[in-house]
């Protein structure tokens, strides 16, 4: 079973192909080019480098977010288009789950943080039980202090990763002191292979998503939605 995986939920555009035995190929591009410019060429390159075509792929996996609203939509739309046109199964995976898997069999708690702006982060907290990654604090968009207070009350050390680390590292260090660790750059960003690893387990149990029911996981409303609701509230108050 071959899985093509896509993650465009951040500025990073990443594509991979794996099967039950190995990671066959992966491309990670962390640049300011838009996903509409990066994604399809990356898919083509990874397929060609693996001496495959899209017809050889059995399952398409895609990161559902949270993260960049535009990036998530591009990734899901591309995955759906490929799955629909070629009759492939599709699986959606949380971006946060994929990030956490970047730290396999870690003895510390794992806390991915993505910058959600407006003084919030997208985050969750995970713990490894041998080779099983367990979520012990749910996915949420929340102020970082709330998560740090939770982690301060736990006895374990914590490793942080994700694009929120650069922005909030000083705050994390001040709060958690020597309990805080930070992932190296090589695993600090989304990797399609981690999305594929989770999807492979689901695919082995025939746990696929409905192509037409697969939706982004934003965790909160977009800026446009918030502005519209605020506009409607002002209109209602003026009636």
């Amino acid at each position: 079973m071959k899985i093509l995986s896509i993650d465009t939920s951040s500025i990073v555009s990443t594509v991979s192909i794996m099967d039950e035995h190995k990671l066959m190929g992966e491309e990670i591009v962390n640049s300011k080019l838009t996903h509409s410019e990066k994604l399809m060429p990356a898919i083509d390159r990874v397929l060609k480098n693996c001496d495959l075509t899209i017809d050889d792929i059995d399952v398409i996996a895609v990161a559902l977010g949270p993260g960049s609203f535009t990036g998530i939509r591009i990734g899901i739309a591309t995955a759906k288009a490929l799955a629909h046109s070629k009759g492939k199964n599709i699986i959606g995976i949380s971006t946060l789950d994929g990030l956490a898997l970047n730290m396999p069999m870690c003895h510390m708690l794992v806390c991915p943080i993505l910058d959600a702006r407006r003084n919030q982060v997208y985050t969750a907290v995970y713990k490894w039980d041998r080779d099983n990654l367990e979520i012990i604090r749910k996915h949420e968009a929340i102020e970082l202090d709330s998560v740090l207070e939770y982690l301060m009350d736990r006895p374990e050390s914590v490793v942080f990763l994700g694009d929120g680390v650069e922005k909030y590292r000083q705050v994390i260090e001040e709060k958690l002191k020597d309990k805080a660790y930070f992932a190296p750059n090589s695993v600090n960003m989304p990797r399609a292979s981690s999305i594929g690893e989770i999807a492979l387990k689901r695919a082995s149990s025939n746990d696929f998503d409905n192509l037409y029911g697969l939706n982004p996981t934003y965790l909160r409303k977009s800026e446009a939605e918030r502005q519209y609701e605020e506009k409607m509230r002002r209109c209602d108050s003026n009636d």
Side-chain angles (χ1 to χ4, degrees), residues 40 45 62 77 92 97 160 178 209 216:
M40 285 308 301
R45 283 192 296 270
V62 62
D97 292 355
F160 293 87
D178 59 0
D209 286 308

Side-chain angles (χ1 to χ4, degrees), residues 21-74:
H21 309 293
K22 61 185 178 297
L23 172 62
M24 302 176 68
E26 182 171 31
E27 179 169 319
I28 304 170
V29 180
N30 189 354
S31 74
K32 293 183 178 180
L33 289 174
T34 65
H35 290 301
S36 58
E37 296 173 292
K38 293 185 287 187
L39 183 55
M40 285 308 301
I43 292 172
D44 287 339
R45 283 192 296 270
V46 172
L47 284 168
K48 288 178 181 177
N49 288 338
C50 294
D51 195 25
L52 299 171
T53 71
I54 193 65
D55 293 320
D56 297 310
I57 300 299
D58 300 294
V59 180
I60 296 175
V62 62
L64 299 179
S68 162
F69 285 62
T70 301
I72 294 167
R73 286 194 294 268
I74 291 172

Side-chain angles (χ1 to χ4, degrees), residues 11-230:
I11 191 173
V12 177
S13 185
T14 172
V15 177
S16 74
I17 298 174
M18 64 171 28
D19 62 20
E20 300 95 326
H21 309 293
K22 61 185 178 297
L23 172 62
M24 302 176 68
E26 182 171 31
E27 179 169 319
I28 304 170
V29 180
N30 189 354
S31 74
K32 293 183 178 180
L33 289 174
T34 65
H35 290 301
S36 58
E37 296 173 292
K38 293 185 287 187
L39 183 55
M40 285 308 301
I43 292 172
D44 287 339
R45 283 192 296 270
V46 172
L47 284 168
K48 288 178 181 177
N49 288 338
C50 294
D51 195 25
L52 299 171
T53 71
I54 193 65
D55 293 320
D56 297 310
I57 300 299
D58 300 294
V59 180
I60 296 175
V62 62
L64 299 179
S68 162
F69 285 62
T70 301
I72 294 167
R73 286 194 294 268
I74 291 172
I76 293 177
T78 301
K80 282 186 169 185
L82 291 172
H84 177 72
S85 64
K86 296 296 182 177
K88 308 296 182 179
N89 287 312
I90 193 167
I91 296 176
I93 301 295
S94 163
T95 301
L96 293 171
D97 292 355
L99 267 172
L101 198 74
N102 286 3
M103 301 297 299
M105 288 58 160
C106 180
H107 68 279
M108 295 179 279
L109 298 181
V110 181
C111 184
I113 53 172
L114 301 173
D115 184 15
R117 302 182 181 179
R118 300 170 67 90
N119 297 315
Q120 290 190 327
V121 294
Y122 300 119
T123 188
V125 181
Y126 302 80
K127 184 176 184 178
W128 283 94
D129 180 10
R130 296 182 63 84
D131 61 349
N132 182 47
L133 181 62
E134 299 178 347
I135 183 165
I136 61 173
R137 183 176 169 114
K138 67 178 182 178
H139 305 152
E140 54 192 342
I142 196 170
E143 291 184 358
L144 180 62
D145 281 348
S146 176
V147 182
L148 296 182
E149 288 172 6
Y150 166 80
L151 294 170
M152 288 168 64
D153 290 336
R154 294 198 57 110
E156 304 98 331
S157 295
V158 189
V159 59
F160 293 87
L161 70 165
D163 65 20
V165 168
E166 182 178 0
K167 182 175 181 178
Y168 294 107
R169 181 167 183 150
Q170 184 176 347
V171 176
I172 294 169
E173 289 176 330
E174 289 173 354
K175 292 275 189 178
L176 294 183
K177 297 182 170 47
D178 59 0
K179 285 178 60 176
Y181 291 80
F182 300 93
N185 290 335
S186 59
V187 293
N188 193 45
M189 66 185 75
R191 298 193 59 165
S193 54
S194 292
I195 298 296
E197 192 79 39
I198 299 172
L200 189 61
K201 288 186 177 181
R202 285 185 50 186
S204 65
S205 301
N206 292 317
D207 181 15
F208 303 109
D209 286 308
N210 183 290
L211 175 65
Y212 303 103
L214 192 66
N215 293 309
T217 302
Y218 292 136
L219 292 185
R220 72 176 193 190
K221 295 175 181 178
S222 69
E223 185 66 25
E225 288 174 311
R226 288 193 295 270
Q227 289 177 354
Y228 176 77
E229 289 182 353
E230 179 61 28

